[in-house]
Amino acid sequence: MGDRPAPITLLGRAGPGVWGAGGAPARPRDDSNDWVAVRLACAGSVEVVELDTSHFVGNAPGWAALGHDGASYHGGDLVARTALQPDTRHRFAVAGGPVAEQVRLDVYPDGGMARLRVFGIPTPRARAALADRFLRLLPEAQLAAVLGAAGLAQDEATRRAGARAGLEGLPDRAHEQFRLVRNNP
């Protein structure tokens, strides 16, 4: 296969403006295709996928496929290999809502992709983990206000905000506010 360039990062600085503005490294021209694996914000059932080639007129990929970690990661089980049009938002409904934490986008043979969007519904466990993380990352004063609005007495909200206690021990109203399902023992 020869020497391949080092992987590049999609998040962070992209050189001069955007990758499409000349910042992309040279890629080998062999039989391989470009691909990227993306970890989603949380585990969830995938319902809609958007593959966006906006602004890529002469350098859009000819085809793309999207797989996920729950099945055939390389097989395009969310979106089978399908032809793409340049400068277009392509939306695909995903049958069955498979649960995914990661996706892999393969473009053939290569080309510019403006955006990949994966829409779905978080699993109950993932939603609880996101709410817990959200609460622990809020500034103390804002967390106290959120907890107070969720039904905690002001002194209890202030104490919990200082302790960064997360979801543990919150009243039912707080769980409802974050659309969380309580685990019944």
Side-chain angles (χ1 to χ4, degrees):
M1 240 204 224
D3 292 332
R4 296 189 64 94
I8 57 172
T9 181
L10 295 176
L11 304 174
R13 301 196 134 194
V18 295
W19 286 115
R27 294 181 303 270
R29 298 294 176 211
D30 55 16
D31 290 337
S32 65
N33 64 290
D34 285 351
W35 62 272
V36 63
V38 178
R39 185 176 64 179
L40 303 176
C42 67
S45 60
V46 178
E47 296 184 344
V48 175
V49 169
E50 182 178 292
L51 305 177
D52 186 358
T53 60
S54 292
H55 308 293
F56 287 93
V57 178
N59 189 28
W63 302 269
L66 189 72
H68 79 290
D69 56 333
S72 175
Y73 195 55
H74 305 285
D77 56 311
L78 295 176
V79 176
R81 185 171 171 164
T82 188
L84 299 179
Q85 296 296 316
D87 196 24
T88 304
R89 284 182 163 178
H90 304 84
R91 297 196 92 176
F92 302 93
V94 178
V99 174
E101 290 185 70
Q102 293 187 97
V103 295
R104 175 179 161 146
L105 174 64
D106 284 271
V107 294
Y108 302 96
D110 61 13
M113 186 69 65
R115 193 170 295 104
L116 163 66
R117 290 184 173 153
V118 180
F119 299 95
I121 299 173
T123 63
R125 178 178 283 172
R127 182 184 292 276
L130 287 173
D132 189 69
R133 182 169 185 249
F134 171 76
L135 291 175
R136 292 177 192 273
L137 291 174
L138 281 175
E140 192 171 324
Q142 190 175 358
L143 176 56
V146 167
L147 294 174
L152 269 68
Q154 190 58 47
D155 59 337
E156 176 66 9
T158 302
R159 183 191 68 73
R160 288 185 62 86
R164 299 284 182 208
L167 289 175
E168 192 62 37
L170 288 180
D172 288 339
R173 182 172 174 196
H175 282 259
E176 291 168 9
Q177 182 175 352
F178 288 106
R179 299 180 187 165
L180 300 173
V181 177
R182 280 206 182 263
N183 293 331
N184 293 329

